[in-house]
Amino acid sequence: MASGNWYDSAIEGVLLDITGVLYNSTDEGGVPIPGSIEAVKRLKASGVRVRFCTNETQCTRQQLVDKLQRLGFELSVPEVFAPAPAACQLLKARGLTPHLLVYPGVLPEFEAFDLGAKPTCVVVGDAADIFNYETMNNTFRKLLEMDPPVLISMGVGKYYRHGGELMLDVGPFTKALEYAVRCEAIVVGKPDRNFFLGALQDMGVQPQNAIMVGDDIVNDVGGAQKCGLKGLQVRTGKFRPSDEHHPEVRPDGFVENLAHAVDLLLQHRKK
Amino acid sequence: MATMSRLRAVLIDLSGTIHIEDAAIPGAVAALQRLRERTTNIKFVTNTTKESMTTLRNRLSRIGFDIKQNEIFSSLTAARNKVQEMGCRPMLLLQDSAKEDFKDICTDDPNCVVVGLSPDSFNYRTLNQAFRLILDGHPLIAIHKAKYFKRQDGLALGPGAFVEGLEYATGVRATVVGKPERAFYQEALKTMSCVPEEAVMIGDDVEGDVQGAQTIGMKGFLVKTGKYRLGDEEKISPPPEAICEDFPAAVELLLKEYL
Ligand SMILES: [Mg+2]
Ligand SMILES: [Mg+2]
């Protein structure tokens, strides 16, 4: 491998995180991060293959794509990889019936399952306002009724930025349940290895020729690096200055934002 | 058994040891009186996150126990002492009943977070506020880290789960002030003018009470009431100093061999 910079290697495919890289979410929907709309267009026009890997679990992929298209982004549902479909695949493969602790917006993704039946697993997502003592305790009891408890977590992010403030993500609530029940959650979505590899396979690119661009140093950057991709950290979204000296993850590069990453990538791209 | 040193202080657990809910353990009121005739260096230590000192004392006196406020040392007292010692203004994730123990402490513009069992505070908005304070570098203090507790309608999530979640989100470890932490017992002994080796802890929780106390050098007496389950005494090493049928039996043994 070249000793130098991340953009000196032969990059054929790029995985893009969505929240904090393409746009910042707000109560009103969201605001594009300056330069990101153009950056996606330029990347696609260059022939580099692109997929979107998000841990968004508050809505369906269709709703997410609709929202981003309205903001001006060029993307389509088949290009988007999200935890809910990954969770559904796992449920089907194992014949599980879920108890859902999720945001109502994502429920349509689970319409194939009988939510009135006695659950054999729990699926947790970023449920935001739905997280309270009552719903957590109810979920805890569902887990206690299972032998052994099966807890599936759609991502394990610690927090994200929303409307200028940091908000708790699903991870802390998953950890709370793990601690109380003494179990270990199965994680779907980032940083699960299968999640990254599924997106790579879909675009037909080997890990060593791919890069992940994200604002979450552990789940985006670190997760991708563990699969053999390069991981690039943007200084937008949930990025905090302390991420520059993270105790566990050293990104292959830091960039100001997605536009900066695409500039560097296209300037140095091996033809 | 030959007793090497005389004991000079007695710590006693409340729930499960001298009472269960609103009923005294049979013989416990009289046993406590007998104990008081021999020593006045007694403290009642408990891991409550809901009941203020006044609530605890009123309940005990209703059952028939004559206990002074300054004889009670609870995990809430420990948290309060900790906050004062650090000079912090706490954000209190506590039920109103427990906040009473903090009523003369300033909570404006908070710069630390105290978490107990507080269903009313475990909502997304409040947890986010606590999270941001901790992420900004302010300390997290946990009354205790119990995973769950027994409620009338079954097991229910304890404060430990939410503490664990906040720890994960922020990368900060909580300072736990309740049993079985060493600091809890050290703090409880502070005003009893004795070294840990001269003190005994009597309780029904083999880990929280007996092991916790024995870790700092105290003696631990396990009573077979309350949450005691057959075989509990084998769960810890070294084993309890003594295993007693109930609190009156523990007092008998103390009077006969240790005091
Ligand atoms: Mg993100
Ligand atoms: Mg007890």
Side-chain angles (χ1 to χ4, degrees), chain A residues 94-249:
Chain A
R94 299 202 186 174
L96 294 167
T97 304
H99 166 80
L100 299 177
L101 180 54
V102 299
Y103 203 71
V106 81
L107 285 173
E109 298 274 21
F110 292 90
E111 64 191 5
F113 301 95
D114 179 5
L115 299 178
K118 187 176 162 62
T120 51
C121 74
V122 161
V123 177
V124 195
D126 168 23
D129 302 336
I130 305 298
F131 286 129
N132 58 43
Y133 187 75
E134 191 63 37
T135 55
M136 285 289 285
N137 193 41
N138 188 23
T139 304
F140 162 72
R141 288 180 171 180
K142 293 281 189 288
L143 285 166
L144 286 186
E145 285 165 16
M146 297 166 198
D147 187 24
V150 180
L151 175 60
I152 298 168
S153 187
M154 298 196 285
V156 274
K158 297 179 175 182
Y159 53 83
Y160 54 85
R161 186 170 288 283
H162 176 86
E165 278 189 311
L166 295 181
M167 315 284 275
L168 290 168
D169 198 351
V170 60
F173 298 94
T174 297
K175 294 293 164 184
L177 292 168
E178 284 185 336
Y179 176 77
V181 183
R182 293 188 179 90
C183 72
E184 203 180 316
I186 303 165
V187 178
V188 295
K190 297 175 287 189
D192 175 35
R193 199 179 162 76
N194 294 323
F195 192 68
F196 290 107
L197 296 182
L200 287 181
Q201 197 178 31
D202 187 59
M203 60 182 184
V205 172
Q206 295 300 311
Q208 65 272 20
N209 299 121
I211 187 159
M212 169 82 209
V213 186
D215 67 331
D216 188 317
I217 191 156
V218 174
N219 295 297
D220 295 334
V221 177
Q225 286 176 328
K226 280 190 189 142
C227 295
L229 292 82
K230 290 205 183 341
L232 206 54
Q233 171 75 40
V234 290
R235 293 194 180 97
T236 54
K238 75 177 80 172
F239 168 80
R240 304 175 78 230
S242 59
D243 293 341
E244 309 262 358
H245 329 275
H246 195 272
E248 286 141 45
V249 181

Side-chain angles (χ1 to χ4, degrees), chain B residues 194-219:
Chain B
C194 69
V195 295
E197 288 70 18
E198 296 170 321
V200 62
M201 167 74 202
I202 308 173
D204 64 325
D205 183 331
V206 74
E207 281 158 356
D209 296 329
V210 177
Q211 190 174 41
Q214 293 196 153
T215 305
I216 69 156
M218 296 171 62
K219 300 194 183 334

Side-chain angles (χ1 to χ4, degrees), chain B residues 160-194:
Chain B
F162 294 89
V163 171
E164 183 79 11
L166 287 170
E167 289 182 325
Y168 173 75
T170 57
V172 168
R173 298 294 310 159
T175 303
V176 184
V177 295
K179 292 190 278 188
E181 298 297 314
R182 302 175 70 96
F184 178 85
Y185 288 101
Q186 279 154 356
E187 184 84 16
L189 285 181
K190 245 183 198 170
T191 55
M192 301 188 85
S193 35
C194 69

Side-chain angles (χ1 to χ4, degrees), chain B residues 3-240:
Chain B
T3 311
M4 305 312 285
S5 64
R6 279 191 168 298
L7 294 182
R8 302 179 55 204
V10 182
L11 304 193
I12 304 167
D13 171 52
L14 292 177
S15 173
T17 300
I18 64 168
H19 75 95
I20 291 172
E21 290 174 0
D22 280 335
I25 296 283
V29 173
L32 180 60
Q33 272 163 3
R34 280 200 300 283
L35 182 62
R36 282 193 192 284
E37 284 160 18
R38 190 75 60 89
T39 177
T40 52
N41 211 13
I42 298 175
K43 249 187 202 166
F44 299 87
V45 293
T46 181
N47 243 7
T48 181
T49 83
K50 281 186 309 200
E51 296 173 300
S52 70
M53 203 74 97
T54 322
T55 317
L56 284 171
R57 190 168 160 253
N58 288 346
R59 175 207 285 261
L60 290 165
S61 98
R62 225 182 314 128
I63 307 173
F65 290 104
D66 172 29
I67 288 170
K68 286 189 268 312
Q69 195 131 320
N70 62 11
E71 289 179 314
I72 302 177
F73 184 77
S74 85
S75 44
L76 284 171
T77 327
R80 185 206 150 91
N81 291 355
K82 188 84 201 167
V83 164
Q84 276 184 319
E85 171 196 311
M86 300 192 315
C88 285
R89 301 175 304 274
M91 173 186 185
L92 300 173
L93 273 62
L94 295 174
Q95 295 299 85
D96 285 345
S97 55
K99 283 183 184 163
E100 209 187 291
D101 279 353
F102 291 82
K103 66 182 166 209
D104 53 342
I105 289 188
C106 174
T107 53
D108 301 334
D109 184 23
N111 59 2
C112 82
V113 174
V114 173
V115 184
L117 176 66
S118 181
D120 293 343
S121 312
F122 295 147
N123 57 67
Y124 195 55
R125 203 175 62 88
T126 309
L127 287 169
N128 272 324
Q129 286 169 354
F131 154 70
R132 289 179 204 130
L133 280 176
I134 303 161
L135 199 64
D136 283 346
H138 302 307
L140 169 61
I141 297 167
I143 306 290
H144 60 69
K145 264 194 89 176
K147 295 180 159 74
Y148 48 80
F149 67 102
K150 204 162 172 169
R151 217 162 66 173
Q152 268 164 354
D153 61 346
L155 293 183
L157 271 180
F162 294 89
V163 171
E164 183 79 11
L166 287 170
E167 289 182 325
Y168 173 75
T170 57
V172 168
R173 298 294 310 159
T175 303
V176 184
V177 295
K179 292 190 278 188
E181 298 297 314
R182 302 175 70 96
F184 178 85
Y185 288 101
Q186 279 154 356
E187 184 84 16
L189 285 181
K190 245 183 198 170
T191 55
M192 301 188 85
S193 35
C194 69
V195 295
E197 288 70 18
E198 296 170 321
V200 62
M201 167 74 202
I202 308 173
D204 64 325
D205 183 331
V206 74
E207 281 158 356
D209 296 329
V210 177
Q211 190 174 41
Q214 293 196 153
T215 305
I216 69 156
M218 296 171 62
K219 300 194 183 334
F221 281 17
L222 179 66
V223 291
K224 295 183 172 180
T225 51
K227 68 162 61 167
Y228 171 83
R229 292 288 166 273
L230 200 67
D232 273 357
E233 55 272 37
E234 277 138 41
K235 283 188 185 159
I236 62 166
S237 170

